[in-house]
């Protein structure tokens, strides 16, 4: 959400009352005071940000302060040459379908490396099968013209938690390997993200994309002037992980570059989840991208962790097909109030007893004004009516909601498991739990099935067989609030053949989860296959075994 003046949503229910809460299992009560009178979209601008505009040829100006970096300011049309369109294309039965539209930016011309947003290029469907056939790179070599397909690319590095990926162009559109000089797009200059803060001006570039309900539309690369309004973070990753901006770019701009005034790259436009009905409004900082670029340059290979995805944030339930995405609420112990709104820090899910305030925030993308956004609070599964609220949304296509609950006494917020559920027009869209002053507990995982395919609900879709493209192992899980991340080791006939990268656990406390293995160069062969799931401390949480003939 942009982070200038706050516009409060309309009230529907007189919720968020100050009153006594009955503490289940305790013999005392405590007063909980909401930090605001209603959930507040953080930073709705007083005036709509400037709309995206087509690129035109402009002279190369000399800025007195070099855009904050010293030296000349690179004009838009030169930056546009480094901005590409990324198309995830599927071909079945000779029929082509563009599965996803996105943008990207050339970060290394010599090695033909392109940075983009990972949600644009996620290689697997929620059921584990391949999501597309190829990644096509289209270019716009003359400002104001439609992009032309030129290259094929592949993922060489990615950080799914940071929504970032690096592609390498590997061939021309016909699949012929590139000779020296065949890739001639210029790379951008990498900036210094540590200088970026609230009030920092940026230039955002991207292609609009074509939504499924439409069949045509101009795909000319566009730019938008925007401003950084603040920053966001998340649990288990130090520093800032998002720049909040007042940009409102089309969904197809995800993966596009954000430049400082001088034309140096300071981040990548991204969505939390690929959403054609929403907008692209936030930026992933360059410091999250830089390690991926270096790993790609060194030749490190990326193999995605095959696992169940596409669930409702904070749960193992299927995500609602409403066209609205609500991010999993993030909790924090502290926040700072600025002229642009509130920035949270010290993100956590586990807090000590005596916590004075519990801050929280979540994003709403793709909602329409007039939608009813409802918060429901539970303490140890007991609904807390005095904290529940319902508001009529007027935050536009994208907004960040943040608020807090606080206790006036020295004893702090009552201990227990505080669960926040968020509903849109009566349908649950997300959930998160903050554990305050009580033990986290222990996870329990039980092997449920092996499969060659699974449904988006996490159930068996096809029995495993020799010659399949993948092997999946399903587990019934509970007590998963104690888990921050998972990884798994795959054995074939007692020989380790694969270790997954760590996968951050953000899927709630219980349900059905599957993990998998696939080799792009081979099918699943006969033998005894064993999957060991490890927690973040290395201990084995569960084992699944199947023998194939």
């Amino acid at each position: 959400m942009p982070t200038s003046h706050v516009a409060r949503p309309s009230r529907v229910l007189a919720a968020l009352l100050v009153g006594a809460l009955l503490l289940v299992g305790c013999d005392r009560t405590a007063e909980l005071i909401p930090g605001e009178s209603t959930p507040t979209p953080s930073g709705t601008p007083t005036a709509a940000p400037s709309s995206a505009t087509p690129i035109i040829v402009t002279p190369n100006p000399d800025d007195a302060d070099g855009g904050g970096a010293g030296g000349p300011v690179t004009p838009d049309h030169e930056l546009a040459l480094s901005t590409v369109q990324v198309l995830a294309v599927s071909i079945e039965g000779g029929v082509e379908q563009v599965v996803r539209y996105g943008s990207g930016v050339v970060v290394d011309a010599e090695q033909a490396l392109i940075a983009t947003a990972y949600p644009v290029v996620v290689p697997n469907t929620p059921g584990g099968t391949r999501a597309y056939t190829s990644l096509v790179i289209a270019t716009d070599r003359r400002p104001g013209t439609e992009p032309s397909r030129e290259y094929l690319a592949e993922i060489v590095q990615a950080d799914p938690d940071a929504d970032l990926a690096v592609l390498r162009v590997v061939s021309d559109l016909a699949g012929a390997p590139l000779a020296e000089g065949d890739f001639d797009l210029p790379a951008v200059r990498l900036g210094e993200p540590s200088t970026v803060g609230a009030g920092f001006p940026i230039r955002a570039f991207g292609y609009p994309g074509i939504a499924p309900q439409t069949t045509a539309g101009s795909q000319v690369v566009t730019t938008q002037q925007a401003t950084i309004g603040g920053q966001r973070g998340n649990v288990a990753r130090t520093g800032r992980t998002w720049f909040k901006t007042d940009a409102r770019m089309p969904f197809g701009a995800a993966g596009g570059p954000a430049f400082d005034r001088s034309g140096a790259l300071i981040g990548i436009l991204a969505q939390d989840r690929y959403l054609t009905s929403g907008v692209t409004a936030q930026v992933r900082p360059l410091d999250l991208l830089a390690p991926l670029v270096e790993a790609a340059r060194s030749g490190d290979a990326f193999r995605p962790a095959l696992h169940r995805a596409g669930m409702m944030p904070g749960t193992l339930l299927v995500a609602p097909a409403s066209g609205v995405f609500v991010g999993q609420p993030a909790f924090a112990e502290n926040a700072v109030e600025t002229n642009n709104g509130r920035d949270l820090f010290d993100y956590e899910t586990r807090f000590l007893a005596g916590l004075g305030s519990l801050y929280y925030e979540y994003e709403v993308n793709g909602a329409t004004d007039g939608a009813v956004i409802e918060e429901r609070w539970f303490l140890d599964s007991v609904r807390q009516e005095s904290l529940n609220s319902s508001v009529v949304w007027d935050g536009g296509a994208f907004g960040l909601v943040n608020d807090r609950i606080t206790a006036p006494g020295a004893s702090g917020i009552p201990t227990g498991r505080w669960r926040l559920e968020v509903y849109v027009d009566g349908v649950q869209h997300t959930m998160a739990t903050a554990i305050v002053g009580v033990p986290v507990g222990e996870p329990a995982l039980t092997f449920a099935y092996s499969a060659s395919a699974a449904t988006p609900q996490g159930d068996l879709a096809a029995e495993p067989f020799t010659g399949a493209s993948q092997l999946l192992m399903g587990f019934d899980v509970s007590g998963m609030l104690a888990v921050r991340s998972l990884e798994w080791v795959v054995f074939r006939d007692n020989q380790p053949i694969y270790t997954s990268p760590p996968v951050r656990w953000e899927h709630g406390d219980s349900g059905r989860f599957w993990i998998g293995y696939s080799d792009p160069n081979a099918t699943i062969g006969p033998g005894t296959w064993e999957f060991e799931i490890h927690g973040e401390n290395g201990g084995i949480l569960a084992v699944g075994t199947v023998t194939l003939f």
Side-chain angles (χ1 to χ4, degrees), residues 6-375:
V6 171
R8 298 179 182 273
S10 304
R11 294 297 299 273
V12 172
L13 301 179
L16 286 171
L17 303 176
V18 179
L21 296 181
L22 176 63
L23 301 182
V24 177
C26 296
D27 59 358
R28 62 184 177 86
T29 61
E31 302 281 321
L32 287 186
I33 303 174
E36 307 287 352
S37 61
T38 179
T40 304
S42 167
T44 305
T46 53
S50 59
S51 60
T53 57
I55 307 296
I56 59 174
V57 176
T58 56
N60 191 348
D62 286 328
D63 194 307
D65 62 1
V73 175
T74 307
D76 287 350
H77 69 272
E78 291 186 19
L79 297 175
L81 288 175
S82 303
T83 305
V84 301
Q85 187 175 46
V86 179
L87 307 172
V89 175
S90 178
I91 300 177
E92 294 186 11
V95 178
E96 177 189 290
Q97 177 186 4
V98 178
V99 177
R100 303 189 200 109
Y101 288 86
S103 301
V105 61
V106 180
V107 291
D108 188 317
E110 183 177 350
Q111 295 200 31
L113 299 180
I114 293 171
T116 189
Y118 186 68
V120 174
V121 296
V122 173
N124 300 310
T125 68
T129 57
R130 287 288 299 177
Y132 51 82
T133 306
S134 60
L135 291 174
V136 175
I137 303 300
T139 65
D140 188 358
R141 294 180 180 269
R142 290 191 302 116
T145 63
E146 298 293 320
S148 299
R149 298 186 182 189
E150 287 199 54
Y151 305 109
L152 298 179
E154 60 184 23
I155 305 173
V156 290
Q157 275 297 313
D159 183 347
D161 285 343
D163 300 312
L164 293 171
V166 177
L167 314 179
R168 176 176 279 114
V169 172
V170 294
S171 72
D172 64 18
L173 198 60
L178 298 182
E180 186 176 352
D182 284 351
F183 185 81
D184 58 352
L185 296 178
V188 296
R189 290 184 294 114
L190 302 186
E192 179 47 67
S194 64
T195 64
V196 179
F200 193 91
I202 62 172
R203 288 184 280 172
F205 286 67
Y207 291 83
I210 297 177
Q213 63 270 23
T214 61
T215 58
S218 173
Q219 292 301 294
V220 173
V221 64
T222 57
T223 185
Q224 184 179 113
Q225 304 290 323
T227 303
I228 300 293
Q231 61 189 42
R232 298 173 61 198
N234 62 274
V235 176
R237 188 185 286 266
T238 58
R240 54 192 178 184
T241 59
W242 289 104
F243 290 139
K244 298 184 286 189
T245 80
D246 60 2
R248 292 295 180 270
M249 298 286 280
F251 73 92
F259 299 102
D260 65 16
R261 288 178 58 199
S262 74
L265 184 71
I266 55 92
I268 299 295
L269 298 162
Q271 292 181 324
D272 254 328
R273 183 170 295 179
Y274 183 77
L275 187 69
T276 59
S277 57
V279 296
T280 303
Q282 300 180 95
V283 172
R284 287 292 195 178
L286 181 64
D287 27 9
L288 299 180
L289 175 66
L292 300 180
V293 175
E294 288 307 309
R297 286 170 174 162
S298 67
D300 293 347
F302 169 72
R303 287 185 64 181
L306 183 61
H307 62 87
R308 187 180 171 208
M311 292 88 73
M312 180 192 305
T315 77
L316 278 163
L317 303 173
V318 177
S322 64
V324 178
F325 175 76
V326 182
Q328 184 179 16
F331 298 105
E333 185 172 355
N334 293 296
V336 58
E337 304 289 345
T338 73
N339 292 333
N340 297 299
R342 175 187 293 146
D343 284 351
L344 276 57
F345 60 96
D346 294 335
Y347 289 84
E348 253 299 349
T349 57
R350 309 167 189 177
F351 300 90
L352 297 176
L355 181 68
S357 295
L358 179 62
Y359 292 89
Y360 63 95
E361 68 182 2
Y362 56 87
E363 70 172 87
V364 179
N365 199 355
T368 57
D369 287 348
V372 177
I373 309 295
E374 181 185 2
E375 293 182 359

Side-chain angles (χ1 to χ4, degrees), residues 516-531:
Y517 167 80
S518 66
D519 184 340
N521 301 312
T523 58
I524 300 299
T528 298
W529 292 81
E530 186 176 73
F531 285 48

Side-chain angles (χ1 to χ4, degrees), residues 449-462:
Y449 66 77
S450 59
S452 61
T455 68
Q457 290 77 17
D459 297 322
L460 175 69

